């Protein structure tokens, strides 16, 4: 049981550590420069001059605290975009990559079902999610204390915990592309394209009359500003993301079961 | 009950034919050779029988399980080995790790024993393996769970002659123990060495089912010979010689204008005893002599024209690589 997941997880470990170290360095840099930003620039005035759609597109909501800048910049860029794209990219290679390189033949010559292959490969994507969240979460929490602008532990845990459903959903989009498409590269590009487009839709329409369009976007259900600045947690959003992930996973299973490899 | 039983099995990829109306059965303990030129549909047949792709029409059972029934096939694979011609192995892990992984999925009771016969460098990443080492690792993977039935697609491609011989010997021993083999090949001598019965596939269709003795007598060798001096064609009008062609075996004219030595070249298919041919050759001054497997296409042309099965109409048989046959079939 779960041998496939364990093997795949092992192969993801080194890549996950590299991403974690990179994002941790990025986080440390952010924390190091924010005291200056907060002290020297009058962002309140600047924000008032910007169109609301613009400032919300880039998550510029509150720039008078470390938590606000992290939520608006670091987490928007690092998590919602970068990590979302990375998960879609990683998931995009799972099935299509094995099929393309004839490894799926070898794997399916074992007494394993196609659904367990899809499910366990998906499970292995928890490795980057957990490693990156734990490492970067720790760096953020400790870093904030070092620069003397502490963020409550509960908030740091909440923002990282609530990012898990979001990242799972991005991964599930990649998984479906990977189960359906012939080539690893196309599955990766397609799923990254979808994630980016969905992000842009939500980012651009949110303050306009077309706000309803954003309901299809995973990023609508994970708002870092709400968590870090206002201390509100969108649990319903998290459930919606988990449901969407489950639906995409089931769709991937069905597609792959019917497919010739 | 047959170990493999296919009835009217067809697989099309859109308009492209993979296999068409394939019906055959393979009994327990049999080594069944599936012989045909490249592109004839051998790999498609194996991959369809393993359930990797669903048939367009027809049906088949493997070890009594319907190939279209995924759940049944998952169980059946506990007793099935699969050795593809170019195995897709994860290059980033070591051979050791991959064996451990597959062992955990399929069982590994014979792993140690197999590694004594076939010895890939387990501690190295598979990405650094030579073609032959990869094939050896794939052989261990295919047999380590002690399967009852093994599908092999061009199994000895990439193996050096000594390992090939060892593999043939291994297959014979396994057959004695009741293991059934379904093996594809485009090399006549390879199936002649280890198969009991041979199905010949051409353009996706099964053209003939033969036992190996019949095939051997029909196969023959391709002989190329160059002897000194002018020799009349009648000199090689002996038993077992067919399709005789005679040409000038002379070297190109020399630059200094002197005549090059006279010689004659003969090419023919030989189905008689070697000794008779060798004895006959002692009468001549032999300059050059090669003997090799007759290319499959030639065998087909000589024995199946008009007598069985459709003829190629699209030239796909041209893919048959006579180079391979020469390389590997020299006896």
């Amino acid at each position: 049981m779960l041998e496939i997941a364990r093997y795949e997880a092992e192969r993801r470990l080194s890549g996950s550590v590299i991403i974690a170290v990179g994002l941790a360095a990025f986080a440390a840099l952010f924390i190091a420069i924010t005291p200056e930003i907060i002290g020297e620039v009058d962002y309140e005035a600047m924000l008032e001059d910007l169109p609301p759609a613009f400032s919300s597109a880039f998550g510029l909501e509150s720039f008078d605290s470390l938590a606000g800048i992290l939520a608006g910049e670091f987490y928007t860029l690092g998590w919602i975009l970068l990590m979302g794209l990375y998960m879609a990219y990683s998931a995009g290679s799972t099935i299509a990559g094995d099929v393309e390189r004839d490894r799926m033949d070898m794997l399916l010559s074992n007494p394993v079902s196609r659904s367990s292959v899809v499910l366990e490969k998906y499970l292995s994507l928890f490795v980057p999610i957990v490693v990156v969240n734990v490492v970067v979460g720790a760096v953020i929490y400790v870093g904030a204390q070092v620069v003397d602008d502490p963020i409550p532990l509960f908030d740091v845990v909440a923002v990282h915990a609530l990012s898990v459903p979001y990242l799972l959903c991005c991964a599930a989009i990649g998984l479906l592309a990977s189960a359906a498409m012939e080539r690893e590269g196309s599955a990766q590009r397609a799923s990254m394209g979808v994630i980016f487009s969905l992000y842009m839709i939500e980012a651009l329409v949110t303050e306009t009359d077309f706000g309803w369009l954003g309901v299809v976007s995973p990023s609508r259900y994970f708002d870092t500003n709400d968590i870090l600045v206002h201390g509100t947690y969108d649990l319903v959003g998290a459930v919606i993301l988990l449901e969407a992930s489950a639906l995409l996973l089931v769709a991937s299973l069905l597609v792959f079961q019917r497919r010739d490899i | 009950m047959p170990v493999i039983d296919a009835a009217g099995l067809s697989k099309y990829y859109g308009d492209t034919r993979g296999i068409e109306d394939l019906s055959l059965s393979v009994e327990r303990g049999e080594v069944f050779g599936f012989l045909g030129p490249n592109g004839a549909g051998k790999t498609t047949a194996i991959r369809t029988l393993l359930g990797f792709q669903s048939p367009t029409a027809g049906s088949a059972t493997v070890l009594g399980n319907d190939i279209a029934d995924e759940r049944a096939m998952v169980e059946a694979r506990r007793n099935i080995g699969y050795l593809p011609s170019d195995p897709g192995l994860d290059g980033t892990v070591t051979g050791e790790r991959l064996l451990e992984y597959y062992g955990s999925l399929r069982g590994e009771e014979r792993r140690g024993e197999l590694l004594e016969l076939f010895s890939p460098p387990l501690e190295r990443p598979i990405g650094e393996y030579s073609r032959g080492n990869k094939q050896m690792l794939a052989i261990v993977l295919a047999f380590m769970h002690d399967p009852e039935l093994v599908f092999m697609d061009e199994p000895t491609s990439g193996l050096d002659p000594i390992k090939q011989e060892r593999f043939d010997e291994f297959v014979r021993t396994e057959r004695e123990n009741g293991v059934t083999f379904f093996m594809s090949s485009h090399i006549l001598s390879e199936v002649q060495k280890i198969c009991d019965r041979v199905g010949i596939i051409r353009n996706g269709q099964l053209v003939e089912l033969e036992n190996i003795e019949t095939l051997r007598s029909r196969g023959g060798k391709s002989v190329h010979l160059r002897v000194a001096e002018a020799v009349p064609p009648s000199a090689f009008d002996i038993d077992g010689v067919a399709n005789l062609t005679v040409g000038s075996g002379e070297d190109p004219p020399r630059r200094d204008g002197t005549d090059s030595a006279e010689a004659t070249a003969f090419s023919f298919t030989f189905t008689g005893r070697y000794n008779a041919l060798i004895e006959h050759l002692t009468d001549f001054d032999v300059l050059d002599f090669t003997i090799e497997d007759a290319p499959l296409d030639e065998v087909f042309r000589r024995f199946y024209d008009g007598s069985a099965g459709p003829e190629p109409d699209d030239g796909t048989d041209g893919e048959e690589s006579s180079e391979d046959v020469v390389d590997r079939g020299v006896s």
Side-chain angles (χ1 to χ4, degrees), chain A residues 30 233 237:
Chain A
F30 244 95
Y233 312 116

Side-chain angles (χ1 to χ4, degrees), chain B residues 184-293:
Chain B
S184 87
S185 176
H186 67 276
I187 301 156
L188 192 59
S189 64
E190 188 174 66
V191 300
Q192 280 178 344
K193 267 189 280 180
I194 55 177
C195 295
D196 302 309
R197 205 155 56 95
V198 173
I200 294 167
I201 186 172
R202 209 177 185 195
N203 299 320
Q205 293 187 318
L206 196 64
V207 183
E208 278 283 340
L209 278 167
E210 298 276 22
N211 70 42
I212 199 69
E213 288 310 318
T214 317
L215 190 76
R216 192 169 283 151
S217 66
R218 287 180 157 199
K221 296 287 169 182
S222 200
V223 177
H224 304 281
L225 185 66
R226 201 160 66 91
V227 296
E229 295 173 10
V231 176
S234 58
F236 279 91
D237 189 8
I238 59 169
D239 271 357
V241 170
N243 303 342
L244 183 69
T245 58
V246 185
S248 159
E250 282 176 30
D251 293 324
R254 289 178 193 157
R255 281 185 179 206
D256 58 15
T258 58
D259 286 342
S260 53
E262 262 194 302
T264 317
F266 294 91
S267 289
F268 53 86
T269 308
F270 187 68
T271 51
R273 291 175 56 243
Y274 285 132
N275 276 353
L277 178 64
I278 293 167
E279 227 162 82
H280 187 68
L281 289 180
T282 54
D283 298 344
F284 302 94
D285 181 7
V286 177
L287 300 172
D288 225 342
F289 178 43
T290 57
I291 180 162
E292 63 202 26
D293 275 343

Side-chain angles (χ1 to χ4, degrees), chain B residues 156-169:
Chain B
T156 57
S157 51
L159 289 185
D160 64 49
I162 294 169
K163 289 285 190 309
Q164 260 184 52
E165 194 49 54
R166 185 174 295 177
F167 180 74
D168 294 347
E169 188 57 43

Side-chain angles (χ1 to χ4, degrees), chain B residues 8-73:
Chain B
L9 200 63
S10 301
K11 177 68 188 174
Y12 281 84
Y13 306 97
D15 285 338
T16 313
R17 178 198 49 233
I19 49 172
E20 195 168 72
D21 197 25
L22 191 69
S23 298
L24 57 86
S25 62
V26 178
E27 298 297 330
R28 186 178 138 82
E30 190 174 23
V31 180
F32 184 86
F34 205 44
L35 184 67
N38 292 332
K42 302 186 295 288
T43 302
T44 305
I46 289 181
R47 298 182 79 253
T48 308
L49 287 170
L50 278 163
F52 296 160
Q53 45 194 20
S54 46
T56 315
S59 63
T61 62
V62 169
L63 294 171
N65 301 283
D66 182 355
I67 57 164
D69 179 350
E70 203 215 355
R71 196 169 300 204
M73 284 303 285

Side-chain angles (χ1 to χ4, degrees), chain A residues 78-103:
Chain A
W79 247 244
I80 297 181
L81 259 181
L82 268 179
M83 273 302 282
L85 290 172
Y86 177 71
M87 292 316 297
Y89 177 83
S90 303
S93 77
T94 50
I95 313 284
D98 273 13
V99 172
E100 191 179 337
R101 293 192 195 83
D102 292 334
R103 297 198 295 242

Side-chain angles (χ1 to χ4, degrees), chain A residues 68-85:
Chain A
I69 291 176
L70 283 177
E73 291 293 315
F74 177 73
Y75 281 109
T76 303
L77 264 180
W79 247 244
I80 297 181
L81 259 181
L82 268 179
M83 273 302 282
L85 290 172

Side-chain angles (χ1 to χ4, degrees), chain B residues 94-159:
Chain B
T94 62
E96 180 73 42
R97 180 66 188 100
L98 198 76
L99 281 181
E100 194 187 305
Y101 176 39
Y102 275 59
S104 71
L105 294 170
R106 58 173 61 169
E108 55 183 351
E109 54 265 38
R110 300 189 63 186
R111 173 178 158 170
E113 170 200 345
L114 286 159
L115 285 172
E116 281 170 21
L117 286 174
F118 306 101
S119 46
L122 290 185
E123 68 294 342
R124 295 223 313 259
I126 295 168
E128 297 173 7
Y129 275 25
S130 68
R131 185 75 188 73
N133 279 333
K134 254 195 197 172
Q135 200 63 20
M136 285 202 284
L137 183 63
I139 291 171
V140 177
L141 289 171
F143 289 93
M144 70 182 183
H145 55 306
D146 202 14
E148 289 171 35
L149 164 66
V150 182
F151 286 94
M152 309 194 291
D153 193 359
E154 311 271 355
T156 57
S157 51
L159 289 185

Side-chain angles (χ1 to χ4, degrees), chain B residues 295-312:
Chain B
L296 267 191
D297 261 16
E298 194 185 305
V299 176
F300 287 141
R301 260 200 306 281
R302 273 185 297 127
F303 298 111
Y304 301 112
D305 267 10
S307 60
E311 274 311 289

